[in-house]
Amino acid sequence: PWSAKLTFVEYTDKKPYFEAVFYSKEEFEALENAYKTQKDKDTGVSLYERFEKMKAKAFQKGIRKDDYIKSTNHTEIRYSYNDLEEFVTDLNNDKAVKAKYTPFVKEVHVYVNDKSIEKFRIVDTPGLHDTNVINSLETSKWVTKTHALIFLLPPKGITEDDYEFLKEYQAAKGPEGRIFVINRIDESSVEEAARVRTFLKELGAEHRFKEINMFGFNEVICRYSSYAKM
């Protein structure tokens, strides 16, 4: 939820900064029209209502649509990473006190002065099942062209949606093109995290996972806690 926008991380030999790219008027109208035809599959709530609520919160913080949605893509540059939350975090997240521009942002490009990523472009995608139709389309595009995928899994392991995604986008790549990361391991014991890892490995023996070359002997499955790193 803290990076609810397509976010690119790239190298720069200059002072670190980021660019927030806003939707064009045409893109934004297409997004709103798409929301009007969709409902949240769990709650049945209209996605357009949710989006309107997010825009209202932005307005309360002094952000007006017409100031940022132009005929072409408008870009803003910031030199403090502390400002990122304003552009990439969902306003419907009650903990996101700084978020304000997010409803109108298409994507963000973060430039880091770090030689270790000089030859890489990291793409943080919101996910294929994002309520933002444009985000889902962009995610699909990047997943199909990436050289390697870091796939975050919740502590409980794989879901049916995850399986369908992997079947469609990762079956042809094989284990050498991806790393699975069991996230939020601080929420469970070391023993519980180990059981999840074992469970995933055992899935590799099932026919449907063998069929798409998933969770076999060569699969890389890591455990990670962003909270602990912070």
Side-chain angles (χ1 to χ4, degrees), residues 5-6 21-23 27 73 104-108 134-135:
K5 293 293 174 176
L6 193 65
V21 181
F22 291 84
Y23 291 112
E27 289 170 336
N73 296 107
F104 312 118
V105 174
K106 179 183 179 182
E107 61 192 41
V108 173
I134 293 179
N135 279 350

Side-chain angles (χ1 to χ4, degrees), residues 71-84:
S71 57
T72 58
N73 296 107
H74 165 66
T75 300
E76 287 203 6
I77 296 176
R78 297 289 179 91
Y79 288 92
S80 172
Y81 293 153
N82 290 331
D83 294 340
L84 265 171

